[in-house]
Structure formats: C-alpha cells, structure tokens
Amino acid sequence: MIALRGNRFANPAGLVDLIQRHAGTLKLRPDQKIVYLRNWEDEKTRLAGVAQLLRALVKIARAEKPGAATLPPPTPSLVKPQVARRA
C-alpha cells in the first residue's frame, strides 16, 4: 500500500491511466491510498517489484507519457475477469 503525501499526485490523469491499465493489480482506495496486489515468492522479487512500481510512479509524476510506465504482468491468481458493462 502506498500513501500519497497530502493525497496529491503531480499527474493525476497519468495515475488513473496506470490504475486502469492494471485493473485487478492496482487499486485506488477511497482514502486515496494505492494498493498493489501481487504474490511474490521471496523478498528479493518483492523488492524488485515494488521498485518497478515506484519507477513507474516517478515517470508518471514527471509528466512523461502515461503509457510509458509499465509494471510486471499481474499474478494470474489475483486478476479478476473484467465484467462487461451495459450501456
């Protein structure tokens, strides 16, 4: 879980884009905390994954193209299928 200082982010649109592209792995809670759902087998992998998330957030905050930030593919057991919404 990541808490943003003052519940602010330099590029909110980029953050929303990242969360939408990684639905099921990244979530924004009502209290403005970012939750990153992953299953890692060891500490080394966990630290590398969190570092990659932080690098992605830095890229977005510095106003680089939102699509430029990438995360590792989600753990299959954590991804829920997207339900099609009716118009």
Side-chain angles (χ1 to χ4, degrees):
M1 186 177 333
I2 297 173
L4 302 173
R5 180 178 282 174
N7 290 334
R8 295 177 185 228
F9 191 75
N11 181 358
L15 179 61
V16 169
D17 179 64
L18 181 71
I19 291 170
Q20 288 176 341
R21 286 186 295 117
H22 296 280
T25 301
L26 276 176
K27 295 182 180 187
L28 184 62
R29 294 181 0 171
D31 62 359
Q32 304 303 307
K33 288 185 171 71
I34 300 168
V35 178
Y36 189 34
L37 302 169
R38 295 298 306 256
N39 275 335
W40 284 299
E41 295 185 17
D42 56 53
E43 291 101 15
K44 184 177 179 180
T45 307
R46 183 179 315 124
L47 287 173
V50 171
Q52 188 169 357
L53 171 62
L54 293 177
R55 282 190 298 272
L57 291 172
V58 167
K59 274 186 172 184
I60 293 168
R62 290 182 175 163
E64 293 184 21
K65 291 172 59 177
T70 59
L71 298 176
T75 307
S77 62
L78 292 178
V79 176
K80 295 178 183 174
Q82 296 280 331
V83 176
R85 295 182 183 177
R86 295 181 185 204

